[in-house]
Amino acid sequence: MFETATARPQGLAVRCTRALLSPWSRLSLLVVLLAAAGTCVLLFEPQRLLSDGWPAQLGGATAVALFAVAYGACTAAFVPRPLLNLAAGALFGSQAGLAAAIAGTVFGAGIAFGLGRMLGQDALRPLLRGRWLKAADGQFSRHGFRSMLAVRLFPGVPFAAANYCAAVSRMGWLPFLLATGLGSIPNTAAYVIAGARASTPTSPVFLIAMGFIAVTGLAGAVVAWFKRHHLRGAR
């Protein structure tokens, strides 16, 4: 009888542990974390701390490193990257600002990729049954670096959405992070330079940076429009 009474709590503990670690429980935790992060961004607006409230006593490599860490945390919490890129340029100039922004971009993408891979992949992969979802998953899984590089170079794809979509696929960590770092350079550099030269809006460098942002944004909108109508026609 003593063994039976002991086995019941153990069996209950095992069942509770399995329930808590099940794919849907982990996915629920991911949803809660993302909702909490988005709520914190709306309430506290941490992007203002990066641009307006940066401690004056911090400088040099330490400031750049801390900014990169804060940048990554903010992107994982859905703070728009263009705002952070402009802040990086305004605070550190073109070169150091670009280094901080790219490091923060890779760090933030890694956070999102890790959360999506650990908490969401097992629950979401069985749902990839549609034609386009299977095609996208196959592209990411087989050609991870090339596919993610194209996504990062294309300005119309939301940063957070790409991170979590890649996490659900079978893409490896290294291709994901390398493609994110390399593919984010052009657009990030344009925003950082614009932020660094914002005090001289008539300078050629500022005008070129803004022109690049406008052209790539327009190109992204045009491609997205054609893709949308192509998918409608395919249905």
Side-chain angles (χ1 to χ4, degrees):
M1 181 179 295
F2 178 75
E3 293 181 355
T4 303
T6 305
R8 287 178 180 175
Q10 290 180 347
L12 179 61
V14 171
R15 289 195 294 271
C16 291
T17 302
R18 288 177 178 175
L20 291 174
L21 297 179
S22 67
W24 286 103
S25 294
R26 284 181 284 151
L27 180 62
S28 300
L29 176 60
L30 177 61
V31 172
V32 171
L33 289 175
L34 296 181
T39 302
C40 289
V41 168
L42 292 176
L43 292 177
F44 301 108
E45 298 184 346
Q47 65 272 20
R48 290 188 177 182
L49 296 176
L50 295 179
S51 57
D52 300 333
W54 193 253
Q57 63 272 23
L58 292 177
T62 301
V64 173
L66 289 176
F67 182 91
V69 172
Y71 182 115
C74 286
T75 58
F78 307 108
V79 175
R81 286 182 62 245
L83 296 178
L84 302 176
N85 293 332
L86 291 171
L91 289 171
F92 303 110
S94 299
Q95 296 181 357
L98 179 59
I102 293 298
T105 296
V106 175
F107 179 58
I111 293 175
F113 187 84
L115 288 174
R117 179 61 54 91
M118 290 186 296
L119 300 179
Q121 187 186 49
D122 292 341
L124 294 177
R125 281 202 64 81
L127 303 180
L128 300 178
R129 298 173 181 175
R131 176 184 175 186
W132 298 108
L133 291 176
K134 285 185 177 180
D137 175 61
Q139 188 70 19
F140 275 122
S141 300
R142 291 191 300 269
H143 310 288
F145 177 82
R146 184 176 67 190
S147 301
M148 184 51 59
L149 185 65
V151 167
R152 297 307 189 196
L153 290 171
F154 183 71
V157 179
F159 183 73
N163 294 335
Y164 290 107
C165 288
V168 175
S169 73
R170 293 190 175 92
M171 182 186 300
W173 277 86
L174 186 59
F176 172 77
L177 294 177
L178 285 177
T180 295
L182 293 175
S184 300
I185 290 176
N187 195 258
T188 302
Y191 278 97
V192 170
I193 292 173
R197 300 299 182 96
S199 59
T200 56
T202 58
S203 65
V205 175
F206 179 84
L207 294 176
I208 291 173
M210 293 303 296
F212 180 84
I213 293 171
V215 170
T216 55
L218 179 61
V222 170
V223 172
W225 186 83
F226 277 108
K227 286 288 185 180
R228 179 182 178 184
H229 283 268
H230 175 72
L231 292 175
R232 283 183 175 180
R235 292 177 184 175

